[in-house]
Amino acid sequence: MKQKNKQESTSKMQKMLHLDYRRDDDIWLTNTQTLRRLIGVLGIALPILLFAFLWVTAEHTSTLESISHYYYTRANPIFIIVVSIMAIFLMVYKGREPIDFYISFVAGVFAILLLLFPTDNIAITCCDADAAYSVTYIQDNTWRVRFHYIAAAIFLLSLNYMSLFVFTRSDKPKAERTKEKNSEIQFIK
């Protein structure tokens, strides 16, 4: 019974991620549905992972002012790796039309830029540079912080545009669309 449940959950995961082990000529990540899902899962998991990591490693239980402030904490490898992976996936996402690729590529580039130009230090916000969760300190630079906010805004606006206008499009007549696609379009209108 336990083996059957394990096989069913593995099969569901393979179906959700479009894994097909019978084909050897296809790279798994070339499937746009897979890229979309991975970007979504990473985006949803990022704040949870950051908070959980600081809670477990430093017993820090309050959220920081901005998700970007996790760059200055012990959780910064998670922040950098997850945002970088999202950026790479966004930059290789082709989409159905050229505008899909351009918007996605812009989102990916600005995700990398917001990592290269971090926000202001949490030591100033928290007044505690020696806290157990704080590990990085960079001299304040007004230009860097402003550029970070611009990069973050463009990144998030690009993702917002893709969510509202790219992923809700359908080339099928309304009668042939799935109920999920119809409810997405209803939500937007």
Side-chain angles (χ1 to χ4, degrees):
M1 184 70 161
K2 202 174 195 182
Q3 183 69 17
K4 185 178 179 183
N5 287 343
K6 186 177 179 182
Q7 287 175 340
E8 285 178 10
S9 72
T10 302
S11 177
K12 287 179 184 177
M13 181 65 77
Q14 290 173 357
K15 187 176 180 181
M16 182 184 87
L17 295 174
H18 297 279
L19 292 173
D20 186 0
Y21 292 106
R22 294 172 297 221
R23 292 184 61 187
D24 62 349
D25 63 338
D26 192 23
I27 297 172
W28 173 59
L29 284 178
T30 60
N31 187 316
T32 59
Q33 282 291 89
T34 303
L35 283 172
R36 287 184 198 179
R37 286 192 175 127
L38 285 173
I39 291 167
V41 167
L42 288 171
I44 291 168
L46 180 62
I48 297 165
L49 289 171
L50 294 171
F51 179 82
F53 187 82
L54 280 188
W55 179 52
V56 169
T57 61
E59 298 178 2
H60 183 76
T61 57
S62 60
T63 58
L64 299 180
E65 185 178 312
S66 164
I67 196 166
S68 293
H69 283 135
Y70 284 91
Y71 179 88
Y72 295 102
T73 69
R74 292 179 182 273
N76 99 347
I78 295 170
F79 181 73
I80 292 170
I81 290 168
V82 171
V83 173
S84 296
I85 290 171
M86 287 175 60
I88 291 166
F89 287 169
L90 287 165
M91 291 183 345
V92 300
Y93 176 72
K94 184 176 122 186
R96 292 185 187 157
E97 297 179 17
I99 188 69
D100 301 352
F101 169 75
Y102 298 134
I103 296 294
S104 179
F105 190 81
V106 165
V109 167
F110 280 93
I112 294 290
L113 289 174
L114 73 86
L115 290 173
L116 293 174
F117 298 92
T119 189
D120 54 341
N121 290 307
I122 61 172
I124 295 167
T125 306
C126 300
C127 301
D128 193 5
D130 296 324
Y133 61 86
S134 180
V135 295
T136 304
Y137 184 82
I138 298 174
Q139 286 293 342
D140 272 338
N141 179 312
T142 306
W143 183 88
R144 184 196 75 234
V145 172
R146 284 185 184 149
F147 188 80
H148 173 83
Y149 290 136
I150 292 167
I154 294 171
F155 169 62
L156 293 173
L157 288 171
S158 299
L159 291 179
N160 187 31
Y161 177 86
M162 290 169 52
S163 297
L164 293 175
F165 301 110
V166 173
F167 298 148
T168 57
R169 282 194 313 243
S170 179
D171 53 358
K172 294 180 182 178
K174 190 171 183 170
E176 294 178 25
R177 295 180 194 155
T178 63
K179 69 178 184 176
E180 290 85 6
K181 182 62 81 172
N182 280 330
S183 65
E184 288 173 5
I185 293 171
Q186 293 288 334
F187 175 74
I188 301 302
K189 292 180 181 179

